[in-house]
């Protein structure tokens, strides 16, 4: 089992819809969770970080964390074609400070 | 000016050559990292450094070495490049105040092709 798992997609949604991206992790001791957006050939850009169970909202983005289920998700409301990218879920492994990445989910927002 | 810079941005080299990739940061962060990314895959950690005197291997360190010349500079070397080291390489930094919530920020990347 991979430490951080994501569906590679592609996930295709129409413009204006809600995109839902999911991630599961295996280390129950993980405390910090991150979502990065990566455009093709570019570097990962931090979108959201979440540390506590529940929801965290920032503009059109909402991160959701459920530690009991070892599950973290990212919702993108009012999706725009500019949101088309690969979204990487990342988890800090225990107290090592090392970031473990999932393989990423490719999102396509169609006009 | 970018907070994290990488040089070169693109490099084509031949099998057996020694290559050095350089990373510099103006963020004042103590921690620096080197990752590689292959098409369709997530990022894999090569080496990381929590301060100038602390260097640690990541998951895929074989065939690579690093040097932390100063707080702001962290270099990655391929002693004898091979074709399967063709990838996109990223440097990252983090402040390191708290291990459990440390946020990493990435440089623009170096695209390396080994023929």
């Amino acid at each position: 089992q991979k430490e951080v798992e994501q569906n590679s997609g592609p996930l295709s949604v129409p413009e204006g819809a809600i995109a839902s991206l999911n991630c599961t992790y295996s280390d129950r001791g993980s405390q910090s969770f991150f979502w990065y957006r990566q455009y093709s050939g570019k570097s990962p850009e931090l979108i959201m970080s979440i540390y506590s169970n529940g929801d965290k909202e920032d503009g059109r983005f909402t991160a959701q964390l459920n530690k009991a289920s070892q599950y973290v998700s990212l919702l993108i409301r009012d999706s725009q074609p500019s949101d088309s990218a690969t979204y990487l879920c990342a988890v800090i492994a225990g107290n090592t400070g090392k970031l473990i990445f999932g393989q990423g989910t490719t999102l396509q927002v169609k006009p | 000016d970018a907070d994290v810079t990488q040089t070169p941005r693109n490099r084509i080299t031949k099998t057996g050559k020694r290559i050095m990739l350089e990373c510099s940061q103006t963020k004042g962060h103590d921690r620096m990292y080197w990752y590689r990314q292959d098409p369709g895959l997530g990022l894999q950690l090569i080496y990381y450094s929590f301060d100038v005197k602390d260097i640690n291997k990541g998951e895929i360190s074989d065939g690579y070495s690093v040097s932390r010349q100063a707080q702001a500079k962290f270099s990655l070397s391929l002693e004898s490049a091979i074709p399967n080291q063709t990838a996109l390489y990223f440097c990252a930094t983090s402040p390191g105040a708290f291990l459990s919530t440390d946020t990493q920020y990435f440089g623009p990347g170096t695209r390396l092709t080994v023929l």
Side-chain angles (χ1 to χ4, degrees), chain B residues 10-57:
Chain B
N10 289 283
R11 182 70 185 268
I12 300 173
T13 191
K14 295 182 179 180
T15 297
K17 294 292 187 180
R18 184 178 187 275
I19 296 296
M20 179 180 285
L21 309 182
E22 298 186 330
C23 177
S24 295
Q25 53 114 348
T26 58
K27 297 178 81 68
H29 289 172
D30 285 328
R31 299 182 179 179
M32 299 186 74
Y33 311 80
W34 276 105
Y35 293 89
R36 72 176 271 175
Q37 186 176 38
D38 298 285
L41 300 180
L43 290 100
Q44 296 176 280
L45 183 63
I46 306 173
Y47 270 95
Y48 60 104
S49 170
F50 282 178
D51 64 42
V52 174
K53 297 181 180 179
D54 178 72
I55 303 289
N56 303 281
K57 292 182 177 180

Side-chain angles (χ1 to χ4, degrees), chain A residues 14-27:
Chain A
E15 184 175 356
I18 295 175
S20 177
L21 305 164
N22 304 314
C23 173
T24 58
Y25 60 95
S26 60
D27 183 356

Side-chain angles (χ1 to χ4, degrees), chain A residues 37-85:
Chain A
R37 177 176 62 197
Q38 186 177 26
Y39 294 110
S40 180
K42 303 297 185 182
S43 60
E45 172 192 9
L46 181 69
I47 297 176
M48 296 280 287
S49 59
I50 186 166
Y51 311 116
S52 303
N53 276 330
D55 295 359
K56 179 181 178 182
E57 186 175 321
D58 184 0
R60 296 186 296 112
F61 299 97
T62 299
Q64 299 175 317
L65 176 60
N66 183 327
K67 290 185 178 181
S69 299
Q70 295 176 243
Y71 175 94
V72 58
S73 65
L74 179 70
L75 301 178
I76 306 175
R77 290 181 299 281
D78 189 24
S79 295
Q80 301 297 309
S82 59
D83 294 325
S84 298

Side-chain angles (χ1 to χ4, degrees), chain B residues 52-74:
Chain B
V52 174
K53 297 181 180 179
D54 178 72
I55 303 289
N56 303 281
K57 292 182 177 180
E59 286 83 10
I60 57 164
S61 58
D62 287 348
Y64 301 95
S65 62
V66 290
S67 173
R68 184 82 184 264
Q69 299 94 325
Q71 185 203 37
K73 296 184 181 296
F74 193 34

